[in-house]
Amino acid sequence: MKVLMLHGINHNMFGKRDPKQYGTITLAQIDEKLVALGKELGTEVESFQTNHEGEMVERIHQGYFDGVDAVLINAGAWTHYSYGIRDALAILTCPVIEVHMSNIHAREAFRHHSCFAEIVKGQICGIGVDAYLMALRAAVSDVQSAKQ
């Protein structure tokens, strides 16, 4: 099984950016935790991060052609306004789970809306790095259930 983890804009700055909201964990540490949990679950996790919206869309398209089994996405601010990324995600035929370390519903009003909410399998937010791990467990479980 292969899961694609998509990290959006400014995530390369985790560990430095707004530690009150995001803690001090780095993107590399998040990815290490995902890979380790993936191994426990018998799943390969590939991570991709970009600060360029078009590159994110291209990587989603490549995920479609690669036949990934599930996608986890924390698109950062793009979550709230990128209909281009939303439309690319809608092309996928696998489960997509939206992830946020902070509780987007308890923050600024513009963060309460997700362009992806209507098309994703679920949304996990507000529990820090554990949101990523819960999303991976949920994705693996969903794919395994669909195969039975």
Side-chain angles (χ1 to χ4, degrees), residues 103-117:
N103 181 352
I104 62 173
H105 305 290
R107 295 187 61 193
E108 305 93 333
F110 78 89
R111 294 187 196 275
H112 299 180
H113 172 74
S114 166
C115 294
F116 314 145

Side-chain angles (χ1 to χ4, degrees), residues 130-145:
D130 288 336
Y132 288 97
L133 304 177
M134 289 176 72
L136 179 57
R137 287 184 186 281
V140 169
S141 176
D142 190 63
V143 170
Q144 289 174 341
S145 293

Side-chain angles (χ1 to χ4, degrees), residues 19 41 57 94 102 110:
L41 300 174
V57 169
C94 64
S102 68
F110 78 89

Side-chain angles (χ1 to χ4, degrees), residues 68-72 92-97 119-121 138-139 142-143 146:
V68 297
D69 295 294
V71 171
L72 312 179
L92 297 172
T93 57
C94 64
V96 178
I97 299 178
I119 62 162
V120 296
K121 179 80 177 185
D142 190 63
V143 170

